[in-house]
Amino acid sequence: MSNHVTVLEIDGNALQHNLQYFKNKLNPKTKVLVVVKAFGYGSDAAKVAKLLEKDVDYFAVAYTDEGIALRNHGIETPILVLHPQVQNLELIIQHQLEPNLYNFTIFNAFLKLADKKPLLNYPIHLKFNTGLNRIGFWHNDVPKILSQIQDSNHLKIASIFSHLAASDDLTEEEFTNNQINNFAYIAKQFYEHLNYEPMIHILNTSGIVNFPKAQFDMVRLGIGLYGFGNDKKETNQLKNVFNLTSIISQIHLIEPGESVGYNRAFTANKPMKTATIPIGHADGISRKLGNEKYSVLVNNQPAEIIGNVCMDMIMIDVTNIECSEGDQVIIFNSQKMIIAMANASETISYEILTAISQRVKRLLKC
């Protein structure tokens, strides 16, 4: 347990609200996979999974160690590992994780391991590249995959899936519909040649909103669970999950001409009062937020970050704010502040959230 005074509070009620908001958009039989990779988008994957386990059908993580961490916290729900590596396949089996097999290197390695053990109908997932060009089999790989799967009773395809490249951008609607149609054709080939029907899924958060007809058997809810709809209208319907706070460590009175921080990046042109806060770029506060690019809140009043962001500290202007050492400082407590931070950092909300250092204490509140 971290004793760091900087704390990330995770709102469990907001998580449940956001999950239900997206569930309300789905057909009653559509399953929900919740993505808890990257420490639950910077929150706490184990705590989020524990909170939502009874309300979802699957969890997904990026890497094997993330899945193992969930198992070690008692999570029994099926866990899809989205980007496993060959060297981790034994661990995947040991911890009853379900691998995404995305090319013949890892497919053949897992098939060989399954035959050696041997396993019986071990659940695997197959990812197909329909336009994102990141990872995944190609459509013309289907016959070879089918021939190898049909020759073995050691593996069973739990799902076939793909990932949309631009589901949040309606100017790319034609491209997205082509992805969906190509994916449906791939899935049809499996249905025609297997004696069972794997689940199929392609929709992410924005896909749920913009392409609801492509729900298929399951959807994958990621950033939407954490309060962002990739669209202002949708985000306004969601509740903020993240509250990042710290405290004032020290207050300084500085004179005109005095500088603040490394490289003397800020120089006072009048008498000022500054406060030093124990959070810095090692905690996920981008250096781009320094030099009056972003304001935190002290007693509900905005206070600009002045000078360069340090590794462990920031300095803020509290000249016109009544405050004392030990007072709380809000780094962000709303989607609006997180988006403002992302804009000032020239990035997106995903990076702001996942950049929050693991030395920052996490608290789940319901």
Side-chain angles (χ1 to χ4, degrees):
M1 171 68 73
S2 171
N3 292 313
H4 195 8
V5 295
T6 299
V7 176
L8 181 68
E9 186 180 300
I10 303 147
D11 188 333
N13 292 325
L15 284 168
Q16 290 172 318
H17 167 88
N18 296 341
L19 174 61
Q20 192 58 50
Y21 175 79
F22 285 99
K23 276 189 167 186
N24 289 342
K25 294 179 177 290
L26 302 177
N27 300 323
K29 291 185 179 180
T30 303
K31 296 179 185 295
V32 177
L33 177 153
V34 158
V35 184
V36 290
K37 63 184 180 179
F39 301 101
Y41 285 57
S43 61
D44 186 312
K47 289 176 180 175
V48 170
K50 271 289 184 190
L51 178 69
L52 303 179
E53 186 168 21
K54 293 179 181 178
D55 301 312
V56 304
D57 302 282
Y58 258 86
F59 290 114
V61 295
Y63 303 120
T64 304
D65 58 344
E66 295 177 315
I68 293 171
L70 291 183
R71 288 285 185 248
N72 288 342
H73 280 87
I75 302 301
E76 297 178 357
T77 301
I79 299 170
L80 166 58
V81 180
L82 293 167
H83 200 175
Q85 303 298 315
V86 171
Q87 56 266 44
N88 295 325
L89 295 180
E90 285 271 10
L91 286 170
I92 281 177
I93 295 168
Q94 182 183 332
H95 293 275
Q96 288 293 295
L97 305 173
E98 301 182 14
N100 164 34
L101 307 181
Y102 47 88
N103 63 22
F104 282 110
T105 300
I106 195 160
F107 179 85
N108 290 333
F110 199 72
L111 185 60
K112 183 179 178 181
L113 183 60
D115 290 343
K116 178 184 173 184
K117 287 248 173 228
L119 302 175
L120 179 63
N121 291 329
Y122 195 93
I124 62 167
H125 302 255
L126 300 176
K127 185 169 191 177
F128 282 85
N129 175 23
T130 56
L132 185 59
N133 289 319
R134 192 168 61 178
I135 61 171
F137 287 106
W138 291 89
H139 65 90
N140 54 7
D141 292 325
V142 173
K144 185 176 178 182
I145 295 170
L146 278 168
S147 68
Q148 292 181 250
I149 283 286
Q150 288 170 323
D151 288 342
S152 172
N153 65 349
H154 301 306
L155 302 181
K156 185 172 184 179
I157 304 170
S159 85
I160 299 161
F161 70 109
S162 188
H163 197 56
L164 298 176
S167 58
D168 58 328
D169 185 355
L170 290 178
T171 66
E172 295 285 1
E173 187 172 1
E174 183 180 358
F175 182 89
T176 301
N177 280 324
N178 283 335
Q179 277 196 272
I180 293 167
N181 291 335
N182 290 340
F183 174 65
Y185 174 71
I186 290 166
K188 183 182 177 185
Q189 293 178 72
F190 280 93
Y191 279 22
E192 288 176 348
H193 292 91
L194 295 174
N195 59 6
Y196 61 94
E197 295 187 354
M199 290 186 297
I200 57 176
H201 48 108
I202 195 170
L203 295 187
N204 54 2
T205 293
S206 296
I208 295 169
V209 175
N210 293 329
F211 298 90
K213 291 182 180 179
Q215 286 177 35
F216 297 117
D217 299 306
M218 187 162 69
V219 297
R220 303 188 301 273
L221 181 60
I223 194 68
L225 178 71
Y226 305 98
F228 294 88
N230 287 331
D231 170 271
K232 188 174 181 180
K233 177 185 170 187
E234 292 299 322
T235 298
N236 287 341
Q237 300 299 312
L238 302 172
K239 291 189 176 180
N240 178 59
V241 171
F242 298 88
N243 299 289
L244 181 61
T245 63
S246 193
I247 64 168
I248 295 175
S249 292
Q250 188 170 8
I251 290 176
H252 288 285
L253 300 176
I254 63 173
E255 299 298 324
E258 286 194 87
S259 58
V260 175
Y262 284 123
N263 305 113
R264 305 189 68 212
F266 177 86
T267 301
N269 59 11
K270 61 182 180 182
M272 291 182 67
K273 180 171 66 171
T274 69
T276 301
I277 318 302
I279 187 171
H281 57 74
D283 301 290
I285 304 301
S286 170
R287 280 175 53 84
K288 291 181 179 178
L289 296 174
N291 301 305
E292 300 108 276
K293 299 295 194 306
Y294 182 75
S295 296
V296 300
L297 295 177
V298 177
N299 294 327
N300 293 317
Q301 296 180 70
E304 287 183 336
I305 299 174
I306 56 174
N308 288 320
V309 173
C310 308
M311 182 180 289
D312 311 300
M313 287 170 268
I314 56 173
M315 285 71 79
I316 60 174
D317 179 4
V318 291
T319 304
N320 299 313
I321 301 173
E322 285 290 329
C323 57
S324 304
E325 292 170 356
D327 283 359
Q328 185 184 71
V329 177
I330 294 171
I331 311 303
F332 54 70
N333 66 351
S334 66
Q335 293 110 314
K336 183 178 179 181
M337 287 188 77
I338 293 168
I339 290 168
M341 182 181 276
N343 291 339
S345 304
E346 300 175 340
T347 186
I348 56 177
S349 58
Y350 299 71
E351 186 174 354
I352 296 299
L353 300 177
T354 58
I356 301 169
S357 167
Q358 288 302 298
R359 76 177 179 183
V360 173
K361 179 163 59 176
R362 266 74 170 167
L363 290 177
L364 177 66
K365 293 199 172 181
C366 293

